[in-house]
């Protein structure tokens, strides 16, 4: 028997119709009607005729409603005796040919060592949270953006204060204060390499270890931008390590969060050659199309976690 291990990067297309399942990445087992992204991927992988069932090991399990511009996973494909291993190009084409949802696509595949692990080998994950201010009602927001950002009634945010608050989160810390209570994570220590707040008044669009953690951090920064918290209070919250603190009930909506990229030390050169993933590294990953204009002002929060 020949054993072959592949790794793949896929994206949930933000320009496609809204996903009917909205169940996150995790596969849903049993008799439940909800379907996760992994269910679709594993269903497509059944058509590869592997000797053993193909299972995807995901890099980042995003919450229901969270978008992925570029996620990653690894899978084992065991072909029958005498059959050559799939080339990365053929694997990508085969999976996409059998994927039954238009919002999910494999962007690129490459062969990796048998000890590679999509989750534990990742060196960093970059998330983008998109906000829109000046939206007292849906009429002020482009129809193309209603499931793509957090619409705020406030006309503006104190970006300087948000940037000051974000500096308190940089570096290696115990981020348990931003974890969900009862989270199964074995470690709450993370390294936040970069956190930026970028307003873009000229654009009609609104432009990051668990996605729930990022949503809680974003909600706190937005509270600073609205004047409900001070930058110094963010440091106090971080150092409290208390996920049940009175300010930690704030959680930004899932639909504004995008997993932008997942990087691997040995695969960065290959990933850089992939136009689909390289495009997602641009400052405005959703700016390639221009639907109807909107009176909403644009802005975004970006963070890189290790």
């Amino acid at each position: 028997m020949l054993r072959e291990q592949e790794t793949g990067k896929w994206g949930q297309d933000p320009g496609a119709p809204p996903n009917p399942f909205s169940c996150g990445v995790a596969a849903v087992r049993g008799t439940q009607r909800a379907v996760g992204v992994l269910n679709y991927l594993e269903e497509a992988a059944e058509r590869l005729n592997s000797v053993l069932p193909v299972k995807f090991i995901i890099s980042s399990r995003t919450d229901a409603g969270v978008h992925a511009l570029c996620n990653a996973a690894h899978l084992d494909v065991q072909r029958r005796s005498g059959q050559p291993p799939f080339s990365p190009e053929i694997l990508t084409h085969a999976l996409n040919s059998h994927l039954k949802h238009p919002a999910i696509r494999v962007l690129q595949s490459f062969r990796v060592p048998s000890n590679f692990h999509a989750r534990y080998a990742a060196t960093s994950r970059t998330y983008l949270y998109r906000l829109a201010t000046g939206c007292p009602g849906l009429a002020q927001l482009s129809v193309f953006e209603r499931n793509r950002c957090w619409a705020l009634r406030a006309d503006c945010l104190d970006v300087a204060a948000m940037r000051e608050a974000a500096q308190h989160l940089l570096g290696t810390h115990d981020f348990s204060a931003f974890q969900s209570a009862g989270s199964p994570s074995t470690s709450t220590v993370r390294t936040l390499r970069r956190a930026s707040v970028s307003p873009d008044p000229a654009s009609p669009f609104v432009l990051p270890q668990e996605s729930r953690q990022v949503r809680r951090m974003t909600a706190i920064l937005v509270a600073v931008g609205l004047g409900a918290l001070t930058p110094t209070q963010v440091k106090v919250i971080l150092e409290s390590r208390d996920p049940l603190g009175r300010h930690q009930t704030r959680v930004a909506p899932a639909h504004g969060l995008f997993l932008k990229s997942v990087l691997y030390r040995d695969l960065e050169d290959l990933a850089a050659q992939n136009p689909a993933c390289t495009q997602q590294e641009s400052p405005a990953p959703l700016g390639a199309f221009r639907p109807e204009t909107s009176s909403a002002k644009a802005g975004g929060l970006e963070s890189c976690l290790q």
Side-chain angles (χ1 to χ4, degrees):
M1 297 290 182
L2 296 177
R3 182 175 184 276
E4 172 185 354
Q5 186 171 55
E6 305 283 351
T7 182
K9 289 191 173 184
W10 74 87
Q12 292 160 256
D13 180 10
N19 294 339
F21 43 87
S22 297
C23 193
V25 165
V28 178
R29 312 296 182 188
T31 59
Q32 300 180 63
R33 298 184 61 185
V35 180
V37 174
L38 283 182
N39 289 109
Y40 283 98
L41 290 169
E42 291 177 355
E43 183 180 77
E46 290 178 2
R47 306 297 292 273
L48 300 177
N49 296 320
S50 175
V51 173
L52 297 176
V54 176
K55 297 297 181 184
F56 284 76
I57 307 301
I58 191 74
S59 162
S60 300
R61 291 168 57 117
T62 53
D63 296 334
V66 172
H67 312 283
L69 298 177
C70 195
N71 207 337
H74 77 260
L75 62 150
D76 291 315
V77 181
Q78 187 170 342
R79 307 210 69 194
R80 300 185 185 280
S81 180
Q83 292 183 329
F86 289 118
S87 70
E89 294 77 16
I90 289 178
L91 180 67
T92 301
H93 177 74
L95 290 173
N96 283 331
S97 296
H98 299 298
L99 274 169
K100 293 185 177 180
H101 199 284
I104 308 169
R105 279 295 173 267
V106 177
L107 304 179
Q108 187 180 27
S109 301
F110 17 60
R111 193 170 290 110
V112 294
S114 59
N115 62 351
F116 176 86
H117 195 285
R119 178 180 177 185
Y120 300 122
T123 57
S124 70
R125 297 170 178 83
T126 300
Y127 291 87
L128 187 71
Y129 199 97
R130 308 173 73 235
L131 305 164
T133 56
C135 298
L138 288 179
Q140 281 69 43
L141 193 64
S142 162
V143 295
F144 298 99
E145 291 296 321
R146 290 178 188 174
N147 293 314
R148 308 286 187 260
C149 64
W150 180 7
L152 299 170
R153 291 178 174 272
D155 289 331
C156 63
L157 296 170
D158 188 339
V159 174
M162 294 172 71
R163 288 172 174 165
E164 180 184 345
Q167 295 304 302
H168 293 301
L169 302 175
L170 292 178
T172 302
H173 305 284
D174 183 337
F175 283 96
S176 54
F178 296 100
Q179 291 278 76
S180 298
S183 171
S185 298
T186 57
S187 174
T188 55
V189 176
R190 298 285 186 271
T191 299
L192 183 60
R193 296 179 180 176
R194 184 181 69 254
S196 61
V197 183
S198 305
D200 185 8
S203 171
F205 299 93
V206 217
L207 291 181
Q209 162 57 265
E210 300 294 336
S211 58
R212 180 63 62 90
Q213 176 181 327
V214 178
R215 289 167 56 197
R216 287 174 178 266
M217 292 165 62
T218 298
I220 290 295
L221 292 181
V222 169
V224 171
L226 293 171
L229 291 174
T230 66
T232 303
Q233 284 179 288
V234 173
K235 182 179 181 181
V236 173
I237 292 171
L238 174 65
E239 293 175 347
S240 74
R241 301 183 183 180
D242 179 12
L244 299 177
R246 67 189 185 96
H247 297 298
Q248 282 81 301
T249 57
R250 306 168 189 265
V251 182
H255 55 255
L257 181 61
F258 293 75
L259 174 60
K260 185 178 177 183
S261 64
V262 182
L263 298 183
Y264 299 89
R265 181 171 293 105
D266 296 332
L267 300 178
E268 287 180 4
D269 292 339
L270 288 174
Q273 298 171 14
N274 177 23
C277 286
T278 301
Q279 181 181 1
Q280 309 308 341
E281 291 296 322
S282 64
L286 301 187
F289 61 95
R290 288 290 185 268
E292 66 182 50
T293 59
S294 165
S295 61
K297 300 176 183 177
L301 304 171
E302 183 174 345
S303 64
C304 181
L305 284 169
Q306 180 180 14

